[in-house]
Amino acid sequence: MPTIYMIRHGEAAAGWDADMDPGLSEKGRAQSEAVAREIEGRVGRKLPILTSPLRRCRETSEPLATLWGRVPYIEPRVAEVPSAVEDLAERGVWLRRLMAGTWAEANLPENNGNGALDLIAWRNAVGTALTELTEDTVIFSHFIAINVAAGLATGDDRLVTFRPDNCSVTVFETSGAALKLVEQGREADTKVN
């Protein structure tokens, strides 16, 4: 049964309501170095590395990729939840409302841009990206994508089942058909990151 080490990106240089694709802050860079050492200590061998295409995840993966001499594979299906709005201030309001709900509510018109966005299809794609893995893998991803995996593994329909901290490691196993939550990552102190 493959083990998946799903890591939330390090602290971003800007919030999700200020920049669509920020890099890491200095603190985020330090967090990415620390999580690379943590994974090396936990795993002790080189594994495939997948990363969201977004800059903060790619930058978070760099220390581990350098340590292992690996080139991370860009996996678009583990990217941030797609947005129904482009204006950054409005996106913040939209995302807060979405995060307070359930997946049953995700494709309501106010959440999906009046049908322009299929959030359930995105959720299913995240799950497929994980369940189709055939070997132990490290994945650098995002708050909501990690919550998708946790929700699928535990049968919890809420968008936010827990609040993974920056560079926390959540561990899953996959049978190829389903996910099992092995270890929930460290939680953030704040309600919204």
Side-chain angles (χ1 to χ4, degrees):
M1 203 180 269
T3 300
I4 302 164
Y5 301 88
M6 202 164 186
I7 301 168
R8 183 175 177 215
H9 61 79
E11 180 184 82
W16 37 259
D17 55 355
D19 187 337
M20 289 296 277
D21 192 16
L24 294 178
S25 68
E26 287 304 313
K27 180 178 179 181
R29 290 183 207 294
Q31 290 169 331
S32 67
E33 293 284 343
V35 80
R37 291 188 300 273
E38 177 185 345
I39 290 295
E40 173 63 18
R42 287 175 76 153
V43 177
R45 62 189 169 91
K46 298 176 182 179
L47 300 178
I49 301 171
L50 305 182
T51 181
S52 158
L54 296 177
R55 190 172 157 205
R56 57 197 176 272
C57 286
R58 292 191 331 265
E59 289 181 5
T60 304
S61 75
E62 289 171 2
L64 184 62
T66 299
L67 182 65
W68 285 352
R70 299 263 173 167
V71 175
Y73 174 77
I74 304 296
E75 175 51 84
R77 295 177 295 176
V78 298
E80 184 63 90
V81 62
S83 181
V85 294
E86 291 186 30
D87 178 84
L88 292 175
E90 290 178 24
R91 183 175 187 269
V93 171
W94 169 80
L95 191 54
R96 281 185 203 89
R97 182 180 66 241
L98 184 70
M99 288 170 55
T102 65
W103 286 104
E105 302 163 339
N107 276 345
L108 294 174
E110 62 270 21
N111 291 330
N112 73 359
N114 290 315
L117 186 63
D118 188 344
L119 293 170
I120 301 301
W122 174 79
R123 177 191 190 210
N124 292 341
V126 173
T128 299
L130 302 180
T131 57
E132 73 184 17
L133 293 171
T134 59
E135 60 186 314
D136 295 356
T137 304
V138 176
I139 300 175
F140 292 88
S141 190
H142 302 270
F143 185 97
I144 296 294
I146 295 168
N147 270 280
V148 164
L152 291 172
T154 62
D156 192 330
D157 191 50
R158 294 175 296 159
L159 260 87
V160 177
T161 64
F162 81 110
R163 299 187 178 285
D165 201 2
N166 294 114
C167 284
S168 66
V169 181
T170 302
V171 183
F172 300 93
E173 289 178 345
T174 180
S175 64
L179 290 171
K180 175 184 174 191
L181 179 63
V182 174
E183 178 185 333
Q184 183 175 291
R186 182 183 68 255
E187 290 203 64
D189 290 333
T190 57
K191 287 203 169 216
V192 177
N193 286 340

